[in-house]
Amino acid sequence: MVGKTSCTVCSKSNGVWKCQGCSQAFCSEHVNYHQQELAEQMDNVENERNLILQTLTEHAATFEKDAMMERINQWEKTSIEAIRREATDARLIVTKHAIERVDELKSRLQKLTEDLKINREENNFHETDLYRWKTDLMQLKHDIQSKLIKMKVAKDSTALVYKIILEPTVPEISKSELPSSPIGNYKRWSRNGITIAGEQESGCRTTQFCNPVRMCMDDNNQTLYIVDHWNNRIMKWKSNAMCDINSDQRLNQLNRPGDIIIDELNDSLIISDVGNRRIVQWPRHQNEPIKVIISDIVCQGLAMDNCGNLYVSDYERHEVRRWQIGDVRGTLVAGGNKCGSGLNQLDSPAGIFVDHEQSVYIADYFNHRVMKWKDGSQEGTIVAGSQTEGKGLAQLSGPNSILVDQSDTIYIADTNNHRIVRWLKNASQGTVVVGGHGHGDQSNQLYNPRGLLMDRENNLYVADSSNHRIQKYQIESS
């Protein structure tokens, strides 16, 4: 105690001392009481300290039996069981693959052999037939190598066992304090798909497909139009039933159609008729004629902008063109600099998407990347994939169909990796949204997915081509 002033308790001014802690003054009589109060508070502090030490000692002796340790033990048990189940399933898949896939590839080769034999005997073939046969043989060769010979145990992009992360509990942040982010970042679909069309085996009945490759949907009546590639037809699916829209055999039917979109203005379908090297406008009313709108083209991708301009990807010329009414050759919007991997080149472009600024997104199939070409630009930018084929999250293998939402999030049918991936704007890698469990016909698997679309409720539809079915994945949350 130092200094002099009036006592806080009795107001005496003689012999007063001031407390440095509380800044109050006490006479010689009351200063003893104040010091005693301080001593009692010090005792309380020490008692609290002793109680905490006792609690820590008891916790250290019993922590192996607490609830957190029980949860870790249960995680260990569940993880081991999951690994055992997956190993058993994998053995069954390998056995099944060895029988079914060889038979499937033999069947495809037999069809090609018969076609070659007939044309050789009749000596009636030309460059287009040779190109088609070479393409089919290249696809068979690729499928044999990727589906049969190179079967191996590899890491999957989806974790089988999830790592436990222990971290301090922090106060919950209210939703109003969270930064705003594109809704595309948070979309999540069910892990297991529902087969809405097709059967386990390929076929030509109206309940079957043979390699469905693309789709489009009329949101007004929830009608799905499906490109049934090897059956040379377009199937219409509505209310769990299908029918063949070209069963009337107009215009000599179709030959290996590749893509389809809806032309709302003319109430018609636009179809890339690959085998006949043309693009046709197919009215949805059978009493109206079919028109050939573009000739001499092998088109694997169609799109239409909000002005009604048609965009087509040319698989042979490695370019994308925009066609307006009255165009003779169309306007080059991407590629056109021969086949290559430069930023001003494409290699066998497949599916395309056009945004509201008329920027074109292109599935650059054999470059294993997705390119974005802004309107009027001389070269594109890589927005997904790393230009090297692979299974990593930064890589693609044969990208086919693509979708782009309002936040510039890209959804890609990563065909040869048997998965659908989502690639956020400016991201260095994608994330798997469905599939990604190796090729197979289980509800959580895909086998060479080629077609992709979303309905207005954000449910995801996939043309699971080598499983000859259409899978629907219901939206779970956003």
Side-chain angles (χ1 to χ4, degrees), residues 1 30-40:
M1 302 292 178
H30 293 112
V31 70
N32 294 329
Y33 291 111
H34 183 60
Q35 290 177 336
Q36 185 176 355
E37 289 176 351
L38 294 177
E40 290 175 354

Side-chain angles (χ1 to χ4, degrees), residues 262-309:
I262 297 176
D263 181 359
E264 297 285 358
L265 181 62
N266 296 297
D267 193 22
S268 63
L269 304 172
I270 297 178
I271 304 168
S272 62
D273 193 7
V274 175
N276 287 321
R277 300 181 62 86
R278 64 189 181 184
I279 297 174
V280 299
Q281 186 180 53
W282 195 293
R284 287 193 274 187
H285 301 286
Q286 292 191 2
N287 58 345
E288 298 181 21
I290 295 171
K291 299 178 182 178
V292 177
I293 56 177
I294 303 176
S295 300
D296 188 28
I297 186 171
V298 177
C299 173
Q300 297 285 0
L302 295 167
M304 186 172 285
D305 64 20
N306 49 17
C307 297
N309 299 317

